Amino acid sequence: MSLQGAVGAEELIFYVNGRKVVEKNADPEQMLLFYLRKRLRLTGTKYGCGGGGCGACTVMISTYEPASKKIRHYSANACLLPICSLYGMAVTTVEGVGSTRTRIHPVQERLAKCHGSQCGFCTPGMVMSIYTLLRNHPEPTSEQMTAALAGNLCRCTGYRPILDACKTFCKDSVCCQSKANGRCCLDQEEDLFDREEKESVGLFSPDEFQPLDPTQEFIFPPELMRMAENQPKRTLVFHGERIMWISPVSLDELQDLKAAHPDAPLVVGNTGVGPDMKFRGVFHPIVIAPARIPDLNVVERMSDGLTIGAACSLSLMKDVLRNAVSELPEEKTKIFCAVLQQLRTLGGEQIRNVASLGGNIISRKSTSDLNPILAAGNCMLNLASQGGKRWIPLSDIFADGVGNNTIMPEEVLVSVRIPHSRKGEYISAFRQAPRRENALPIISAGMRVLFEEGTDKIKDLSIFYGGAASTTICAKQTCQTLIGRYWNEQMLDEASRLILNEIVLPDSAWDGKAEYKKTLIVSLFYKFFLEVLQSLKTMDPCHYPGIPMEYESILEDFQTKMPQSIQIYQNVELSQSPQDPVGRPIMHQSGIKHATGEAVYIDDIPSVDGELFLAVVTSSRAHAKIVSVDTSEALKEPGVFDVITANDVPATNEFHYSDDPEIIFARNKVICVGQIVCAVAADSYAHAKQAAAKVRIEYEALEPVILTIEDAIKHNSFFEPKRKLEHGNVDKAFETVDHILEGEIHIGGQEHFYMETQSVLAIPKGEDKEMDVYVSTQHPAFIQEMVAASLGVPANRIMCHVKRVGGAFGGKLLKAGLLASVASVAANKTNRAVRLILSRGDDMLITGGRHPFIGKYKVGFMKDGRIRTVDAKYYINGGCTPDESVLVAEVCLLKMDNAYKIPNLRCWAYACKTNLPSNTAFRGFGFPQSGLVTETWITEVAEKTGLSPEKVREINMYKEDEQTHFKQKLDPQNLIRCWNECMEKSAYYSRKTAIEEFNKQNYWKKKGIAIVPMKFPFGLGSRYLSQAAALVHIYTDGSVLLTHGGIELGQGIHTKMIQVASRELNIPMSYIHFCETSTTTVPNACASVGSAGTDVNGMAVKDACQTLLKRLQPIINKNPKGNWKDWIKEAFEQSVSLSATGYFRGYDANMDWEKGEGQPFTYFLYGTACSEVEINCLTGDHKNLRTDIVMDIGCSINPAVDIGQIEGAFVQGIGLYTMEELKYSPEGVLCTRGPDQYKIPAVCDIPEQFNVSLLSSSQNPYAIYSSKGLGEAGLFLGCSVFFALRDAITCVRNERGLKKTFALNSPLTAEQIRAACIDDFTKMMTNDESSSSIPWARMHET
């Protein structure tokens, strides 16, 4: 068919939340997410990454199939769904599920009441994933529930409360029954924790939840049913600005289209082509959408296998295979089972629901999980073109691409045949990824062997790998050579060598994992070898002995289970008034709004008339002179309004807070990749982005380019001042100790990965140079100051507003100020409102994160484990501008002792100046790095002395009232209480014995356990940084408006402030409202940083409320029986002022760096965490089994919020120490720019048993209501997982007789774990031709 046939463009018809949408000018480039947000103004669906990797934009799609009369509901990522693919479908967004205006849905209610939202940005996506599951399975199993959330990320909560909400819908009572007497864990909570009356478990009461009633949901629109049943299917054509979308309805038509447009891609789920066009600059003028063609959707069972259409989704394929496996004899379904194994962890549910089988095969991506197993399983492809049909083996498209066997451009993949397995045939699929779920594999593999009947003699063998080359690759010669061999260790030995020789990895891989990939390639073959041996034994136990008992556990992969958890906190006193909310687990004030999508973030603010969108143009060089910037092409692009450069900044472009400036726009040179050079303002985000790509910048390289700490040391490139702390006589002490150890540890950086990217909306008011700036920041006063300085106006003309922030963790301070200035300068020049919302890739590229770190140490100790002296040097990679780096270095020094008394100490800290984007504040602020160094040498001292690590920790812990190394007093009694209580609650010693027993009985899997104490000093260093103010208004109807300088980042500060006001004014919380934080109501507020928000703002709110109450007291005394409203009315009539400000001067603090002493901190928090892990020595994979945390946080103002903070910080710590890896190219370009490459913890990473208890009866005279500021402290405890992994690795090395000392860096990824578990496979890497053989029986004896 020629395109002339389809002249007029179609109307696109679909439904959203039960309402019909008719789009006359559907643009194929428009994704559903932006259509919902910008066209339909449904802003509940959030932009988190734009690549289907985070789940923030999850929606439910419903389709009707007239043939079967079935309605299908599935979840999908709106950011990848082209609106053109939705013809005849119904979309449900979070607004359609429920709202506070109509009714809230049980999913929304329970998520909120179980405290499953903190910043709330990921919550709508969570709601939609759970809601869709419940539409399909009203009583899901816990496996279905955890699977449904595998594609959703949350950076705040650590997932536990979200899963608690989910459990309330599951039909299987979630119980571990792992207690010795087989009683339910819930009966045993009593014994487990010998709880006193005063303690409470459970942060919510399920009896107040409304029941789930499936009859109350939206029905599928009858009009769409009629359309599907009555309208003859016809070709749809949509013309966009740059792209034409054609959706044919028959195979013949598709063949004609492919003949006319051989280069046009076929798009079904857009999960392959979409990201390519979005992130990799690929462009296709014509896109063909074949999803409506029946031939491509067939599912057919044949006598010899299954045929599945190329347009079938992976979820459908999964269901089809699962049914086949349940109905057919086991012998026939081995390929099906192996494919199912890969489908279980491929992407998240949202991706599997739309991604097609054909797309997976045709894209020939190296990282495909399916292609290796489909190729090894002898699957056949059914191809069609105008020239006819043909069948080819799938493996041929991965051969050398010989002649007619590869697919021709005009050919279409119609369907795939997956054969039944045969007798004597064994098939397995394997994968190892940076995270167990929703992550592309590092290596995937498919292996199949067929034996001659009744023997173990190889008749046919196929081995395919993914991840090793540019596409799936076959070990062809190896397979041919091994035919006729017997399945024994000689064959294994020969095969391992042959595979390594045949599969050559490109060394240039940016991820630098070549060594690990090679190890995996042979390790996975070894695992296959063991699986087949075990299967042979099952078939004929007389002939085949199988594998040694202690090898059997390796055949089981780690599974994600629904975690169990217990939270313990202190009940409020019985004497406390029921109306007084302090100390109770109160739900986050915005919790329900988070869950309904009604909570407004910056990009949810409705568009202003004539508003412009900004896209930034960033430097592609790490250190270079800007020769020229050519914007002429960009200005010709459609919709472009202007280009903003440094020349457009009216006043300050460079801020000198110290010697080196912070810069808004680069002017003459660039000092890192990702520095902003200019920005394009256009009428839509897409136009701005397209034009930004057309800006041409010419550079001239400058020397030196310094990227690493090592480079900085070599070039002596540091930010001043360098800091030093010394205490005692270090050199003399080294002469008197029994042993000295030296070492160094490298700790990688960490990306904040707040779910809401940096966002600014600047609106010029049109007179007096006033401007409203709405910005996602932790520090509005600073934004006001920077914007005013850059525009050259007084601060009183700039009104900065923040309602809530979608996560920050330290990343929305200085960088938010620079970006707000970029947007404000653009708004000033164009005199229009300007919206700047960074894409996830730009955000990660531009903003920097936690400082990469190198710690070098020399430790002197006695043979009884007492540490006498330490000499340490810390280097942090500050990036290209000072930001907070020197302060971070100082905190590294002040907090490096952690929980230990070190009599003699000398430590230096250097902030390195490099050509990376400037690193900045991040939760924990230096302590997570220097604390890890300290715990590392504690562990090494234990290894050297032969004592256990916990003994060395106990020996050196602060014992009585003592002084820190900078002469501040501390009372460590609660540190010791936390340690002892955690020891007891975690049953540390009995579990340690059980682990030793497990490790004796398992060779390839090992468990480890570690318990780590923490002292976390609280304080901001100087008094003026912790001042705070509040403003409280009482209106004549008795309602109260509360404002203060703190920012809601998800830590529940507004909720706590309302609790404080409720107690002080003695009125219910429902009378009090908090609107927004703004520089117009509370001026000069300090940043919400350093765990101090509640401490300081709470004092200010209390002060204001007390002032008001004092004024009201005479009226109350006159009419004690009256109520609040009467008193307020009376007060107004007596002309009593009903508005008051409150103020808190801040905590006194000082530090003299010359003398090395001072009182920089106000008080100390204490905690202890015990974690247990299990590792897989063949792949390096690990599972977090259990964590127990005991924290001293004084008297909690809100236990639900506080426990949520501890868990969230802990899981962020798991990310820092075991998973999150930033990769840069040798030119200084960040390669990990989104959730695809950068893995934060997901549901599968949290401990299976996760217990948190708050230390009882702890007082803190310094803070409001005896509480403690705890936002950051829990993060460091994540290193208990790091040391539990180290414990497991130590066990492996001891068993194998390897040398005792070994270094582990952070993050301790699977790659490092595998490399530390040295065996004959890793030895083959260092010496490929080595002659040592690999008889597994001998390995077993050593």
Side-chain angles (χ1 to χ4, degrees):
M1 149 194 150
S2 74
L3 291 178
Q4 277 57 49
V7 197
E10 302 287 339
E11 285 188 344
L12 173 66
I13 299 172
F14 63 105
Y15 272 69
V16 175
N17 298 335
R19 297 183 67 165
K20 185 175 181 177
V21 175
V22 180
E23 179 55 59
K24 291 195 164 52
N25 310 313
D27 186 339
E29 285 186 89
Q30 177 111 59
M31 295 300 145
L32 174 62
L33 174 63
F34 291 100
Y35 191 81
L36 289 172
R37 294 182 57 80
K38 299 296 173 200
R39 278 299 298 276
L40 304 181
R41 303 245 171 120
L42 293 170
T43 53
T45 311
K46 303 296 181 211
Y47 167 83
C49 70
C54 73
C57 65
T58 305
V59 294
M60 182 175 87
I61 306 292
S62 308
T63 58
Y64 175 70
E65 184 43 67
S68 62
K69 300 238 184 298
K70 282 207 172 120
I71 295 167
R72 181 171 159 247
H73 304 294
Y74 58 90
S75 58
N77 294 113
C79 68
L80 289 179
L81 277 183
I83 51 171
C84 295
S85 67
L86 296 173
Y87 187 87
M89 297 183 184
V91 178
T92 306
T93 69
V94 68
E95 289 92 345
V97 172
S99 79
T100 56
R101 290 195 198 92
T102 51
R103 63 171 203 117
I104 57 169
H105 189 276
V107 173
Q108 296 166 324
E109 177 194 35
R110 294 185 200 185
L111 252 180
K113 288 185 177 167
C114 295
H115 316 286
S117 78
Q118 285 181 23
C119 86
F121 201 79
C122 72
T123 314
M126 296 282 176
V127 167
M128 293 313 299
S129 288
I130 302 165
Y131 174 77
T132 309
L133 174 67
L134 294 175
R135 285 298 297 261
N136 291 320
H137 304 278
E139 288 193 322
T141 64
S142 53
E143 283 76 43
Q144 286 173 318
M145 194 56 95
T146 46
L149 289 179
N152 290 77
L153 296 178
C154 168
R155 192 55 153 165
C156 297
T157 61
Y159 304 101
R160 191 274 311 159
I162 297 172
L163 293 166
D164 271 359
C166 292
K167 282 181 200 174
T168 65
F169 294 105
C170 292
K171 63 163 181 273
D172 39 359
S173 82
V174 186
C175 167
C176 52
Q177 283 169 347
S178 59
K179 301 292 175 283
N181 58 11
R183 276 164 64 197
C184 166
C185 58
L186 300 170
D187 302 342
Q188 289 229 329
E189 272 175 17
E190 306 300 327
D191 328 350
L192 188 62
F193 289 106
D194 308 324
R195 292 209 325 278
E196 306 156 29
E197 281 304 292
K198 290 198 198 114
E199 288 189 335
S200 188
V201 169
L203 297 166
F204 58 90
S205 39
D207 43 352
E208 56 181 64
F209 296 157
Q210 50 171 341
L212 177 69
D213 179 358
T215 61
Q216 293 298 301
E217 310 296 359
F218 268 132
I219 58 163
F220 188 79
E223 182 185 355
L224 293 182
M225 280 190 192
R226 288 196 296 276
M227 267 170 56
E229 289 187 327
N230 306 337
Q231 281 188 9
K233 276 195 173 177
R234 58 197 174 87
T235 303
L236 298 172
V237 180
F238 300 108
H239 297 274
E241 205 170 275
R242 311 189 302 163
I243 290 183
M244 179 153 74
W245 173 284
I246 310 169
S247 171
V249 290
S250 73
L251 186 55
D252 291 345
E253 194 186 338
L254 177 62
Q255 289 163 4
D256 297 345
L257 282 169
K258 263 312 243 182
H261 311 282
D263 295 338
L266 269 56
V267 169
V268 176
N270 202 38
T271 59
V273 174
D276 280 349
M277 290 179 73
K278 203 178 251 185
F279 304 127
R280 298 176 197 101
V282 179
F283 180 70
H284 301 287
I286 292 178
V287 169
I288 302 171
R292 297 156 67 234
I293 299 174
D295 305 46
L296 271 71
N297 287 293
V298 297
V299 173
E300 211 178 337
R301 286 203 190 173
M302 334 281 268
S303 55
D304 59 348
L306 263 178
T307 302
I308 298 184
C312 289
S313 73
L314 299 180
S315 293
L316 178 65
M317 179 183 181
K318 197 174 163 189
D319 294 341
V320 168
L321 290 173
R322 203 187 281 123
N323 293 340
V325 169
S326 64
E327 290 164 27
L328 291 167
E330 195 181 333
E331 187 173 282
K332 290 187 170 182
T333 60
K334 289 177 190 157
I335 300 177
F336 299 171
C337 290
V339 174
L340 276 171
Q341 157 104 354
Q342 298 300 66
L343 284 173
R344 219 183 56 238
T345 51
L346 190 156
E349 197 98 29
Q350 296 96 318
I351 295 286
R352 289 194 295 270
N353 287 334
V354 298
S356 66
L357 171 58
N360 208 307
I361 294 168
I362 296 294
S363 59
R364 299 179 59 190
K365 292 259 191 337
S366 160
T367 49
S368 166
D369 280 305
L370 290 183
N371 290 344
I373 184 64
L374 294 174
N378 282 337
C379 293
M380 300 292 289
L381 302 182
N382 171 13
L383 304 174
S385 64
Q386 283 179 328
K389 293 194 171 186
R390 63 190 184 119
W391 286 89
I392 64 165
L394 184 138
S395 51
D396 283 11
I397 69 171
F398 302 115
D400 318 324
V402 189
N404 66 347
N405 275 345
T406 48
I407 298 173
M408 297 298 162
E410 67 277 8
E411 283 186 305
V412 173
L413 171 59
V414 179
S415 58
V416 182
R417 177 168 305 166
I418 309 177
H420 288 154
S421 47
R422 295 166 280 177
K423 195 177 171 158
E425 190 170 32
Y426 300 96
I427 295 139
S428 293
F430 306 98
R431 75 192 297 268
Q432 175 59 34
R435 185 173 64 204
R436 231 179 348 272
E437 291 176 1
N438 196 17
L440 294 169
I442 296 165
I443 289 284
S444 60
M447 303 183 193
R448 179 183 62 89
V449 63
L450 175 67
F451 293 122
E452 294 192 1
E453 203 165 326
T455 69
D456 64 348
K457 186 178 182 185
I458 300 174
K459 183 176 178 181
D460 187 24
L461 180 65
S462 329
I463 302 171
F464 284 82
Y465 290 106
S470 62
T471 184
T472 302
I473 183 172
C474 174
K476 214 174 195 163
Q477 287 138 324
T478 304
C479 294
Q480 280 163 353
T481 311
L482 293 173
I483 287 174
R485 302 278 198 282
Y486 288 93
W487 199 258
N488 55 25
E489 45 205 81
Q490 262 169 307
M491 185 282 305
L492 169 68
D493 186 31
E494 188 179 1
S496 304
R497 261 164 239 308
L498 289 166
I499 290 171
L500 275 182
N501 287 341
E502 181 170 357
I503 292 189
V504 182
L505 273 85
D507 276 335
S508 61
W510 66 261
D511 57 4
K513 288 185 160 63
E515 194 92 323
Y516 179 42
K517 287 184 170 183
K518 283 189 197 161
T519 312
L520 281 175
I521 283 169
V522 281
S523 301
L524 293 175
F525 180 75
Y526 174 64
K527 189 173 171 195
F528 180 57
F529 173 75
L530 294 178
E531 282 186 8
V532 172
L533 278 180
Q534 197 66 342
S535 304
L536 286 168
K537 173 186 172 180
T538 321
M539 185 189 76
D540 185 353
C542 310
H543 280 93
Y544 304 106
I547 61 174
M549 275 274 290
E550 52 270 46
Y551 282 29
E552 286 180 11
S553 60
I554 194 63
L555 303 181
E556 291 294 311
D557 280 330
F558 293 133
Q559 305 287 344
T560 303
K561 291 202 186 95
M562 180 67 85
Q564 304 301 318
S565 64
I566 300 171
Q567 301 82 39
I568 296 186
Y569 59 94
Q570 206 169 353
N571 268 334
V572 297
E573 296 292 330
L574 290 172
S575 57
Q576 182 171 324
S577 144
Q579 179 179 288
D580 179 354
V582 172
R584 303 183 197 274
I586 301 236
M587 177 178 77
H588 193 297
Q589 281 301 103
S590 297
I592 300 279
K593 289 180 293 189
H594 291 158
T596 59
E598 290 165 271
V600 176
Y601 299 84
I602 302 300
D603 196 28
D604 302 339
I605 297 172
S607 60
V608 183
D609 190 34
E611 123 183 337
L612 298 172
F613 293 81
L614 214 53
V616 290
V617 178
T618 56
S619 154
S620 58
R621 303 293 176 83
H623 192 197
K625 193 169 146 210
I626 298 177
V627 180
S628 65
V629 178
D630 175 7
T631 60
S632 56
E633 286 301 305
L635 288 164
K636 289 180 198 157
E637 286 286 299
V640 172
F641 195 88
D642 207 344
V643 176
I644 321 292
T645 66
N647 301 329
D648 298 311
V649 180
T652 314
N653 186 50
E654 300 189 354
F655 293 85
H656 289 266
Y657 296 114
S658 60
D659 302 346
D660 301 82
E662 306 290 343
I663 304 163
I664 301 178
F665 289 106
R667 199 185 289 271
N668 303 317
K669 65 169 187 174
V670 291
I671 48 177
C672 71
V673 174
Q675 186 175 1
I676 296 174
V677 180
C678 60
V680 178
D683 61 358
S684 76
Y685 177 69
H687 284 153
K689 197 85 180 142
Q690 283 157 21
K694 297 275 169 75
V695 174
R696 295 282 160 258
I697 304 172
E698 199 186 320
Y699 300 100
E700 193 179 290
L702 292 175
E703 291 294 320
V705 174
I706 301 171
L707 299 175
T708 62
I709 291 173
E710 291 87 343
D711 295 343
I713 295 171
K714 190 169 99 192
H715 289 96
N716 194 24
S717 173
F718 301 107
F719 292 114
E720 293 300 329
K722 307 181 184 70
R723 291 298 192 197
K724 171 187 172 186
L725 274 182
E726 193 161 0
H727 169 76
N729 189 334
V730 174
D731 300 321
K732 193 164 168 210
F734 272 118
E735 293 162 16
T736 61
V737 294
D738 296 343
H739 302 288
I740 294 177
L741 68 82
E742 295 190 55
E744 82 171 58
I745 177 173
H746 294 233
I747 303 168
Q750 186 179 23
E751 164 61 36
H752 296 95
F753 213 97
Y754 28 69
M755 295 304 292
E756 177 195 31
T757 57
Q758 300 274 356
S759 309
V760 190
L761 173 59
I763 307 176
K765 290 303 230 352
E767 57 177 333
D768 296 332
K769 298 188 174 168
E770 288 180 358
M771 193 179 287
D772 271 325
V773 185
Y774 297 88
V775 55
S776 181
T777 180
Q778 298 171 255
H779 198 350
F782 179 68
I783 305 280
Q784 176 189 36
E785 178 189 318
M786 274 187 102
V787 168
S790 63
L791 297 182
V793 302
N796 64 6
R797 307 301 159 87
I798 307 297
M799 297 33 158
C800 182
H801 307 267
V802 186
K803 195 163 185 76
R804 60 173 61 80
V805 174
F809 314 112
K812 291 182 175 172
L813 294 159
L814 187 97
K815 277 296 188 319
L818 293 171
L819 290 160
S821 301
V822 167
S824 303
V825 166
N828 179 63
K829 182 183 183 189
T830 58
N831 205 22
R832 298 256 197 123
V834 167
R835 194 177 289 251
L836 169 57
I837 310 292
L838 287 191
S839 69
R840 175 64 62 188
D842 281 347
D843 190 299
M844 291 185 75
L845 179 70
I846 293 168
T847 61
R850 189 184 296 283
H851 293 75
F853 185 101
I854 294 181
K856 303 184 179 196
Y857 51 87
K858 178 175 165 192
V859 181
F861 56 100
M862 310 310 280
K863 50 179 180 285
D864 63 3
R866 279 177 306 142
I867 290 162
R868 307 306 303 155
T869 178
V870 172
D871 194 350
K873 280 197 167 89
Y874 304 134
Y875 298 91
I876 67 172
N877 190 332
C880 60
T881 69
D883 201 305
E884 311 265 12
S885 296
V886 171
L887 206 53
V888 171
E890 292 176 358
V891 171
C892 285
L893 294 182
L894 292 172
K895 299 191 180 183
M896 60 76 66
D897 57 329
N898 189 17
Y900 310 107
K901 176 77 177 157
I902 305 158
N904 304 284
L905 173 77
R906 178 169 58 225
C907 45
W908 284 90
Y910 305 88
C912 302
K913 181 176 173 181
T914 62
N915 296 113
L916 289 182
S918 189
N919 286 310
T920 185
F922 194 148
R923 197 178 204 167
F925 207 76
F927 173 59
Q929 295 103 307
S930 64
L932 186 74
V933 181
T934 300
E935 293 299 337
T936 296
W937 49 252
I938 288 272
T939 310
E940 286 176 6
V941 167
E943 281 160 10
K944 286 275 194 304
T945 53
L947 296 163
S948 64
E950 64 274 14
K951 275 284 164 282
V952 175
R953 290 190 167 105
E954 277 172 5
I955 290 166
N956 292 290
M957 220 181 280
Y958 283 112
K959 297 287 191 308
E960 53 263 346
D961 287 9
E962 309 199 38
Q963 282 190 341
T964 61
H965 54 296
F966 47 87
K967 302 202 171 43
Q968 180 162 355
K969 289 195 178 64
L970 89 153
D971 167 9
Q973 138 194 350
N974 282 357
L975 169 66
I976 293 158
R977 281 183 61 204
C978 285
W979 174 263
N980 293 338
E981 205 166 298
C982 188
M983 271 285 184
E984 187 186 332
K985 288 197 162 148
S986 65
Y988 181 81
Y989 287 110
S990 59
R991 277 169 57 212
K992 195 173 173 175
T993 314
I995 287 169
E996 282 162 13
E997 202 43 51
F998 175 92
N999 289 345
K1000 277 188 200 134
Q1001 291 169 13
N1002 292 275
Y1003 186 80
W1004 292 111
K1005 275 196 179 163
K1006 297 287 180 202
K1007 288 185 179 178
I1009 191 169
I1011 183 165
V1012 177
M1014 172 186 69
K1015 161 178 74 62
F1016 188 88
F1018 170 95
L1020 297 174
S1022 30
R1023 166 163 260 168
Y1024 77 92
L1025 289 175
S1026 58
Q1027 58 182 313
L1031 176 63
V1032 180
H1033 299 315
I1034 307 174
Y1035 295 100
T1036 51
D1037 66 350
S1039 64
V1040 175
L1041 183 65
L1042 165 67
T1043 5
H1044 57 85
I1047 300 285
E1048 179 58 70
L1049 311 162
Q1051 82 286 39
I1053 185 169
H1054 297 340
T1055 309
K1056 287 181 172 179
M1057 293 307 100
I1058 293 173
Q1059 285 177 277
V1060 171
S1062 166
R1063 166 178 276 190
E1064 292 301 329
L1065 296 173
N1066 198 9
I1067 55 174
M1069 286 178 70
S1070 59
Y1071 285 19
I1072 307 166
H1073 177 61
F1074 183 93
C1075 179
E1076 61 168 12
T1077 309
S1078 154
T1079 53
T1080 57
T1081 48
V1082 176
N1084 318 321
C1086 292
S1088 292
V1089 292
S1091 314
T1094 298
D1095 274 51
V1096 300
N1097 290 292
M1099 292 291 207
V1101 169
K1102 182 178 175 182
D1103 180 44
C1105 291
Q1106 288 182 342
T1107 304
L1108 286 166
L1109 210 56
K1110 209 165 163 187
R1111 294 179 197 159
L1112 291 171
Q1113 206 54 55
I1115 293 168
I1116 296 172
N1117 293 347
K1118 249 193 187 144
N1119 176 13
K1121 291 230 162 62
N1123 63 27
W1124 175 253
K1125 289 180 180 172
D1126 300 338
W1127 298 330
I1128 297 306
K1129 197 161 165 279
E1130 180 62 26
F1132 179 69
E1133 285 166 6
Q1134 289 188 23
S1135 303
V1136 173
S1137 165
L1138 293 173
S1139 170
T1141 56
Y1143 186 66
F1144 174 61
R1145 283 196 61 198
Y1147 291 117
D1148 200 12
N1150 60 75
M1151 180 67 200
D1152 183 333
W1153 284 98
E1154 294 302 304
K1155 289 190 187 153
E1157 57 186 70
Q1159 303 275 321
F1161 302 119
T1162 312
Y1163 55 82
F1164 299 90
L1165 293 91
Y1166 301 103
T1168 300
C1170 170
S1171 291
E1172 179 185 349
V1173 298
E1174 185 176 342
I1175 63 171
N1176 176 328
C1177 310
L1178 269 181
T1179 61
D1181 197 11
H1182 82 273
K1183 177 128 186 68
N1184 298 326
L1185 298 178
R1186 176 171 168 179
T1187 293
D1188 294 86
I1189 297 175
V1190 178
M1191 279 279 280
D1192 161 34
I1193 60 163
C1195 296
S1196 171
I1197 292 180
N1198 185 330
V1201 166
D1202 290 347
I1203 287 172
Q1205 284 293 295
I1206 294 166
E1207 293 166 334
F1210 176 82
V1211 171
Q1212 228 170 20
I1214 289 182
L1216 168 67
Y1217 296 123
T1218 69
M1219 298 173 68
E1220 299 180 32
E1221 212 172 2
L1222 290 165
K1223 295 273 185 194
Y1224 292 90
S1225 76
E1227 296 75 41
V1229 181
L1230 180 69
C1231 305
T1232 41
R1233 280 199 225 169
D1236 277 4
Q1237 306 95 13
Y1238 184 79
K1239 296 299 172 193
I1240 69 169
V1243 170
C1244 56
D1245 299 298
I1246 72 168
E1248 268 178 22
Q1249 176 81 40
F1250 195 2
N1251 303 327
V1252 177
S1253 62
L1254 304 181
L1255 194 71
S1256 60
S1257 51
S1258 154
Q1259 294 296 317
N1260 176 27
Y1262 301 102
I1264 182 152
Y1265 304 149
S1266 204
S1267 64
K1268 290 187 177 184
L1270 78 158
E1272 300 172 285
L1275 192 134
F1276 168 73
L1277 293 176
C1279 79
S1280 59
V1281 172
F1282 180 96
F1283 290 104
L1285 289 167
R1286 186 183 173 113
D1287 182 50
I1289 294 167
T1290 305
C1291 173
V1292 173
R1293 295 176 63 95
N1294 291 347
E1295 183 175 87
R1296 296 179 188 178
L1298 298 162
K1299 68 173 194 300
K1300 283 274 191 282
T1301 51
F1302 62 103
L1304 292 177
N1305 293 323
S1306 166
L1308 183 45
T1309 55
E1311 179 177 7
Q1312 261 202 88
I1313 295 173
R1314 181 64 186 98
C1317 297
I1318 296 174
D1319 56 25
D1320 289 351
F1321 302 115
T1322 53
K1323 287 178 191 154
M1324 295 169 90
M1325 300 308 122
T1326 44
N1327 179 8
D1328 281 20
E1329 295 308 307
S1330 74
S1331 57
S1332 78
S1333 64
I1334 327 172
W1336 44 274
R1338 203 189 65 222
M1339 274 188 181
H1340 165 55
E1341 283 157 21
T1342 46

